[in-house]
Amino acid sequence: GMDVGSQFARSAITFSNKLTRLATHGNARAGNIGRVLKGSVPACKAAYGYRYCRDAELTSGGKVLIKKAWWEVDSKDETETLVKDSPAWVVQQKFRWIGGAGWTSWSVARKLNEMGVHSPSGAKWGPNGVCKLVRRSCYTGKNAYNSRSMVSNPDRPLGDVTGQVKRTILRAKPKEEWVFYNVPQIVSEELWQKTNNALTQRGRGRGKEGKAIQALLRSRIFCPRCGLPMVVRRDGKRNKVFYHCIRHYRVWDGNACSFSKFVQARWDDVVWECVYALLSDDSWLDEQLRIEEDQRNVS
């Protein structure tokens, strides 16, 4: 019902369920930390290039008791050599191509797709997927658990104060809370550092690392050929900003847009002058308010 007692009962049940979820999450995290401290790996999916293994037995109570858990390289042959086209071989090749040969993430994604190697999700490789994998430090032989967590977006309006704000941003935890465990090494620390430095250098000045490009028409103008929004790109040589179709550079997955005309960012000034002129016209504003009011009355 909608009486005060029923409303209070629903609130109490909701709050108790929230406490239960928090307790379950905390217990699972504490259990994984305990496993790491005992020399095992946490109960989670192994990174691409590894497979999760465990030594377990069924107790008299019907529960599974895990004695030991570890990661193994996926895959090696009898001579302890990485099998060609296996996940571990793909990981090693990525570091060699980017850190050793100086390839770009776009070139690596195209090469893997030409070889018929699929990404962890089974789809084709893209530059973002290549960079995300190369950034993982577990391939040097040492991984960290409890190092990151999802948090709420501080810039998102709270809205209903009784509702829960979804956690949508991944943030690093203080290093005092990290717990480390050892896994088989696939690449050296030197090659890992060299590869990540190369990615960082290529990404500077192009809207990454918090350097967002200010653009008025981002995702507000659309490609005349495929209808998708146009995004912003900075030319590293001429240091000019322009708009292009979001699919223009997606040649690695076969969905590239053939619309090759770029829109100069100086359009922003022209569009803003038009918007400013409209907002300064009281008669135009009154007309728009009247149209909005008529639409609300009809609905």
Side-chain angles (χ1 to χ4, degrees):
M2 296 302 298
D3 57 282
V4 176
S6 299
Q7 294 179 8
F8 178 78
R10 285 196 296 270
S11 300
I13 293 173
T14 302
F15 189 72
S16 63
N17 290 335
K18 181 177 181 178
L19 291 178
T20 302
R21 290 196 302 271
L22 292 175
T24 302
H25 180 73
N27 291 339
R29 183 173 61 249
N32 277 327
I33 293 176
R35 293 178 60 176
V36 173
L37 296 178
K38 292 179 180 179
S40 296
V41 298
C44 58
K45 185 179 179 181
Y48 182 77
Y50 298 99
R51 58 172 174 264
Y52 177 83
C53 303
R54 68 179 188 178
D55 179 16
E57 66 177 9
L58 190 64
T59 63
S60 58
K63 295 184 179 180
V64 177
L65 176 62
I66 299 177
K67 299 179 179 179
K68 184 75 174 178
W70 64 94
W71 287 4
E72 289 184 355
V73 175
D74 186 15
S75 305
K76 289 184 178 182
D77 57 16
E78 296 80 5
T79 61
E80 293 297 315
T81 304
L82 297 180
V83 178
K84 189 177 184 299
D85 294 342
S86 67
W89 180 88
V90 172
V91 170
Q92 191 177 75
Q93 288 299 119
K94 284 184 179 182
F95 282 94
R96 290 177 176 176
W97 287 334
I98 298 176
W103 289 21
T104 63
S105 57
W106 182 90
S107 300
V108 173
R110 182 179 61 179
K111 179 65 175 179
L112 292 175
N113 291 331
E114 291 176 352
M115 296 170 58
V117 178
H118 297 290
S119 66
S121 63
K124 292 186 177 181
W125 286 99
N128 290 338
V130 172
C131 294
K132 184 178 179 181
L133 185 144
V134 170
R135 292 292 188 184
R136 299 199 62 169
S137 60
C138 62
Y139 299 113
T140 61
K142 193 173 185 179
N143 198 18
Y145 177 73
N146 198 39
S147 59
R148 298 179 299 176
S149 64
M150 299 296 294
V151 298
S152 302
N153 188 352
D155 298 328
R156 179 188 175 189
L158 182 59
D160 184 7
V161 295
T162 62
Q164 182 181 7
V165 180
K166 294 183 178 180
R167 298 178 295 175
T168 56
I169 301 179
L170 189 63
R171 287 285 184 266
K173 289 186 176 182
K175 289 193 175 181
E176 295 78 14
E177 301 181 15
W178 296 14
V179 287
F180 294 91
Y181 56 95
N182 296 323
V183 297
Q185 187 182 52
I186 296 181
V187 297
S188 64
E189 179 72 28
E190 180 182 0
L191 180 58
W192 184 91
Q193 194 64 50
K194 185 177 180 180
T195 303
N196 281 267
N197 289 341
L199 290 179
T200 302
Q201 290 296 330
R202 293 192 187 102
R204 286 182 176 174
R206 297 174 182 269
K208 301 178 182 179
E209 296 184 347
K211 301 175 183 177
I213 302 175
Q214 299 298 325
L216 178 65
L217 303 179
R218 179 191 283 113
S219 298
R220 292 187 174 92
I221 56 177
F222 300 89
C223 175
R225 180 154 300 173
C226 62
L228 290 179
M230 301 187 76
V231 295
V232 186
R233 186 181 182 90
R234 179 183 287 124
D235 189 339
K237 297 180 180 179
R238 295 176 296 175
N239 200 29
K240 292 185 178 180
V241 179
F242 53 85
Y243 297 92
H244 66 85
C245 177
I246 194 173
R247 278 186 177 175
H248 180 71
Y249 292 102
R250 296 185 64 87
V251 295
W252 58 85
D253 61 1
N255 292 325
C257 178
S258 58
F259 184 72
S260 58
K261 294 184 179 180
F262 295 166
V263 178
Q264 296 292 334
R266 61 173 178 265
W267 278 29
D268 288 1
D269 298 333
V270 178
V271 172
W272 177 246
E273 290 177 358
C274 297
V275 173
Y276 180 79
L278 290 174
L279 295 177
S280 302
D281 187 355
D282 293 338
S283 60
W284 182 84
L285 288 176
D286 293 339
E287 178 67 18
Q288 295 301 313
L289 290 174
R290 185 188 63 79
I291 294 175
E292 292 290 335
E293 185 67 25
D294 293 341
Q295 291 178 350
R296 283 196 296 266
N297 293 334
V298 171
S299 58

